[in-house]
Amino acid sequence: MEKREDNEGKIEKEEANNSMVLLSALRMDIADALDFLERLKNEENQKALDMDQVVNLKLELAFICTHVLLSYSDLEQFEDVMTAKGQEVENLLRSILYDDHVLASVRDNIDHCISSQHHTKSSATMLEELLNFLLLNLHHLSKFLAEHKFPLMTEYEILQNVCGNVRDFHGLIVNGCIEHEIVECVLPQIQLMAERVGHFLWEDQIDEDSKLSEIDEDGQTDANSQLSEIDEDDQTDANSQLSEIDEDDQTDANSQLSEIDEDDQTDANSQLSKIDEDDQTDANSQLSELDDDDRDSLLFNLPHLLLKIVPTELEVMLICYTNLKASTSAEIGRFIKKLLETSPDNLREYLIHLQEHMITVITPSTSGARNIHVMMEFLLIILSDMPKDFIHHDKLFDLLARVGALTREVSTLVRDLEEKLRNKESTDETNRATLKLLENIELLKEDLEHVYLKVPDSSQCCFPMSNGPLFMDLLQRHLDDLLDSNAYSIALIKEEIGLVKQDLKSIRSFFVNIEKGLYKDLWARVLNVAYEAKDVIDSIIVRDNGLLHLIFSLPITINKIKLIKEEVSDLHEKIPKNRGLVVVKSPKKLVESESSPAGKIIVGFKEETNWLMRKLTSGPADLDVISITGMPGSGKTTLAYKVYNDKSVSSHFDLRAWCTVDQGYDERKLLEKIFNQVSDSDSKLSKNSDVADMLRKQLLGKRYLIVLDDVWDTTILDELRRSFPEVKKGSRIILTTREKKVASHGKPYTDPLHLRLLRSKESWELLEKRAFGNESCPDELLDVGTEIAENCKGLPLVVDLIAGVIAGREKEKSVWHEVLNNLNSFILKNEVEVMKVIEISYDHLPDHLKPCLLHFASKPKDSVTTIYELKAVWIAEGFVEKTEMKSTEEVVKIYLDDLISSSLVILFNEIGDEPSCQVHDLVHDFCLIKAREEKLLDLISSTAPSNLLSRQITIDDDKEHFGHNFVLFGSNKKRHSGKHLYALRINNDCVSDACHLRHLRLLRVLYLDPSFIMVNDSLLNEICMLNHLRFLFIGSQVESLPLSFSNLWNLESLSVYNEGSTWVLLPRIWDLVKLRVLFMSACSFFDLNSDEPILIPEDTKLKNLRQLENLELSCSKDAEDIFKRFPNLQGLAFRLKESWDYSTEGYWFPKLDFLTELEDLRIVFESSNTNDSGPSVATNRPWDFHFPASLKSLWLGVFPLSSDSLSIIASLPNLEKLTLKKTIIQGEEWNMGEEDTFENLKFLELDKVALAKWEVGEESFPVLEKLVLWRCRKLEEIPPSFGDIYSLKIIKVDYNHQLQDSAMMIKQYVEDMTGEDKLQRACKECRIEFPLPVHQLSRLKINPQAKVLFIQVVSLVYTLLFFGTGLIYLHIMCCSSSSDTSRLSVLYEPFTVFCESLLMVATILPDVVLPRSDNAAAQLRK
């Protein structure tokens, strides 16, 4: 037995000796080849070297040498890859050297090394020379990757630094600069690190080869050129980095590479064999038995690698500080200097990845986890500023050593906590250790202030915005949100933020009730120090000069605020107590009124003019106020002037007066102005005269007309009306205002007239008259002229302005096209005339509404925003003030109502549609200008300048406009102002794989358009580190809500486009305690394919959740228990999988009646029947519905319903909107008895409902306003009783001619009975109305091939429809001219099928080729 073991030992020793000899030979050949290349390059009259090939040769040689040394570690596809690499080296040498001797020697040695090394099983501790050679090659490989292949990825730079530092350290060992006893413990770690890096580079190469093999020959050429196109200087640098070590080092390198003589070889072998058996076993276990994680190719990613190898550098750093700090060696001194330069970055990246790793394996609620995170935040603030000029240079190593020691302790605690959680052991001991760890923060902060850092020079921030009150309002909310966020970074400065908040609140309360102009200098100082406080706090959080701000700036700023607070308190004491604060209400700033309406060209508004004249000359005898309201520049004053001067109006009244009020009104002057007009007197009244009484007496007994133009406040209306006598003479007051609240306040009898925008035809008429006078526009200018008018978007002010521009130019087509293409610039040039009109309304808004209005500029022009989205974003942005008396939703509604009342925001709220709003293009332009001025938001595009200092950024351009090398937030950007962003919207594909979002640590709103960005695992982990996030919209193919989402405890709105996967919500969802909105393409509480139970703690609830959409639900008692944990749910949408409930002998349906706040419910029934035609008639059984009484909107899709089920729905007392889609009603009959009354239903839609007979009672729909019937082919008529519903306003039907006739009969019946044409009949005729012209498809963000396919198919649909409709129309005309009406039905059925087939194509196609989130695609899909 012993003899056999001796023989095996001899064999292993011989194999090791042979391998060493072969490797030495290979190294000498490589050294000779490189030396020959250097001499060849420097010799004159030699042929020019292809430097690209030289770089590739060195790279391939380094790769081969590296992995020959690691061949024992079972590298995948070793022989195939290495043989291919050997062939590449041969080809490169042949093209470069033309030296067969060198070529043959190198190739033979490579082949021998590959063959011998692959079959050796040794994995013992390497000889120092070999390990040094391995580290040298790893350094070259990582350096090449960092500088040429992945220059935008910090991780590769860190890999290069770590490999370089460890290689240099090991070189000191080899050269004898460090005693062997000092480093014995770290040598196995260095070799293990080398193995791990080698494995990573090997896997990386295999992945690269597999990708290249899938590229065609042309693509291969491009890839090679990209890899080798390095400019000449960089080429020289690359060569020098690989082979031109400085002269002394070159000698050392040569000796390391080739001069191992035979005696040294013997000594080396003896060193290898003299490791005792126990140590050999330990070394083997450390070096070759890589843990399962390392063997898993999924974990062979760069961040995972850095987590494994940086601890080795920490050990190196500890050895240097403990044993080498006092060394006088020049080599050691140079190494320590390099270590000080690179280690801070290495440690910073290590801690960042450790944070990201920690949130993926340890929930934030775990005891002790928070303490570790807080310490990591503190260490990262320090490391982000090392080395800097404000750190004492002689103390830098001490500071780095302390940080390194704390980093090692943090790393140990994370591993310990992770292991104990995995093994389900107690973490009490670890938790106590984390508490002790936190004690180091205050100790180190004190030393940073007094030992390590230089005291900075004093500085003063200057407030960069224009609106101080707005800034103070937003700052107060920002500080409140920070204190409420519970973020790790806030824990370090929570007390200081609280002090800043309280002191600024006290200072602000003084200025709220006093005119700031009286204390202008003090107010300026307040704004400066408040802005400074915000900048300092935010900078600490985002680690932007955070160390300096944490130790010095923040205490200094707090002291400045304290001094101002004391000064304000003294001022407050000096104000006489009997007088109080002098100014309660700031005087209104006088503004110029709109230009006089006299002489203006008036077109359009014929219906409105006639209505106004009727209201003025007829109606009640009592005094009536008729209000005209509309957005700025809509023509309110012009319309009032037109009516005021109409002869029939002027002759109807005894007295008339016109008075422009404005914001800076003076009541007495207004009364004087009115009095002078009605008394025909120009004399100036004495100061003592009672003008109000004089005016009242003058008007008494007369029929008078008073126009109050541009009224802003209800107060002035009330004050002036006291002077207008209430006599029954038919007197009238016309009031024009932008404020709808003012208009509504004035009406005693007549509702306000909300002035619409001009129609396209009216806009052109105004433009033509203004530009040509009484002449007509030449034919050649008609097309471009009407397009100009169309782009004015119906606002008379803009039409008038542009008409003035073209009136003064040549009447040529090219000139008008120039105006059309630069319309926006012409408008903005007239800022005084145009923008001032909007600014008056903006200035009138209270400060808390201004950011809400300006936010509309973040969306593209003409885009419509749903109220639902506005609520979520405004809340997330911090625009909405939190109050104890009202919910956040109620506050948002008040804000929106006020903005709509200001006429700056247009509301779309048609019955049955989701409420939405938008702003006019002119208001949008103003909002963008003002938002940039206030640093609230900016739009980044290739054509517009951008400012990363803005609070919010939206990116709307295409990558091709930015350039392919554009990276918005690369991880190598250690300092940029974009770190301070609060909101980021990316609507294009400018984000590359090199993009990192982890720097944006203040981010509250993140919108990544899924059409261009599908978030992968690594980016998702970075997003989950942004624990200030309130609003998140992303696309991802991750299959479940990952553990890292637990870190987003401030998240309020989560929308995920995850088509193709169903996200499992439990148990992660319970950690998102502030969540209000949850929308996914598909989600479920449990894994529907797993029977594993999930335990839910009894007291777990999401009290803030209001909206939950696209849930997959199947029969489960647990589902009802979970719903009970969402007590305030207001909107719910789910897909119900068919399940039979044997206890009720019917379909299972979850009980929802306990959701007492639920208002909107949408459900799709998924039958087990695979037939897409819908549920079978045989399945029409009663549903055991348990709807909450609070329900206002119900949408049911693919439901089989019986009469009893419909009766349950009818009994819902608050139901206002009901939609039934693809529903089969039992027996195809719906007979509504007296008990079936929809008491509050206002909207009813039946879409593809199998219904042949429908009987409606007199009181079935007492308040219905809109009826929609779509694709109900079996229904022959609309019940005539709908004509008796007084509230009914609209009936919409499709191309079913029977229903069209029925709707027409009801409309005629209503006209006959009421004498009014009040019922709208909207019919979709035999055509498809395509919302987006085909020429606009070029704007769609889809791939070119899909776009071409889409255009072709759409064109085909158009063509078929055109000819098909035309033929049918001709046949119908022929039939109707004869008495053979039976032929109509023969034609109708196939044409219906034809149309539905085309509709199916149009329905399916967008889902195939169009991005779901693109606005244009959404239009097409509709």
Side-chain angles (χ1 to χ4, degrees), residues 822 935 998 1084:
N822 298 281
K935 307 293 187 294
R998 64 187 184 211
S1084 63

CSV table of all heavy atoms in Angstrom, one decimal, residues 822 935 998 1084:
chain,number,residue,atom,x,y,z
A,822,ASN,N,-41.9,76.4,-38.4
A,822,ASN,CA,-41.3,77.1,-37.3
A,822,ASN,C,-42.4,77.8,-36.5
A,822,ASN,O,-42.1,78.8,-35.9
A,822,ASN,CB,-40.2,78.1,-37.7
A,822,ASN,CG,-39.1,77.4,-38.5
A,822,ASN,OD1,-38.2,76.9,-37.9
A,822,ASN,ND2,-39.1,77.5,-39.8
A,935,LYS,N,-36.4,75.2,-12.3
A,935,LYS,CA,-35.6,74.0,-12.1
A,935,LYS,C,-36.5,72.8,-11.7
A,935,LYS,O,-36.1,71.9,-10.9
A,935,LYS,CB,-34.5,74.2,-11.0
A,935,LYS,CG,-33.6,75.4,-11.3
A,935,LYS,CD,-32.7,75.2,-12.5
A,935,LYS,CE,-31.7,76.3,-12.7
A,935,LYS,NZ,-32.3,77.6,-12.9
A,998,ARG,N,-28.3,53.5,-10.0
A,998,ARG,CA,-28.0,53.5,-8.5
A,998,ARG,C,-27.6,54.8,-8.0
A,998,ARG,O,-27.7,55.1,-6.8
A,998,ARG,CB,-27.0,52.4,-8.2
A,998,ARG,CG,-25.7,52.6,-8.7
A,998,ARG,CD,-24.8,51.4,-8.5
A,998,ARG,NE,-23.4,51.6,-8.9
A,998,ARG,CZ,-22.7,50.6,-9.4
A,998,ARG,NH1,-23.2,49.4,-9.5
A,998,ARG,NH2,-21.4,50.8,-9.7
A,1084,SER,N,-50.7,37.1,-9.5
A,1084,SER,CA,-51.5,36.3,-8.6
A,1084,SER,C,-51.0,36.3,-7.2
A,1084,SER,O,-49.8,36.7,-7.0
A,1084,SER,CB,-51.4,34.8,-9.1
A,1084,SER,OG,-50.1,34.3,-9.1
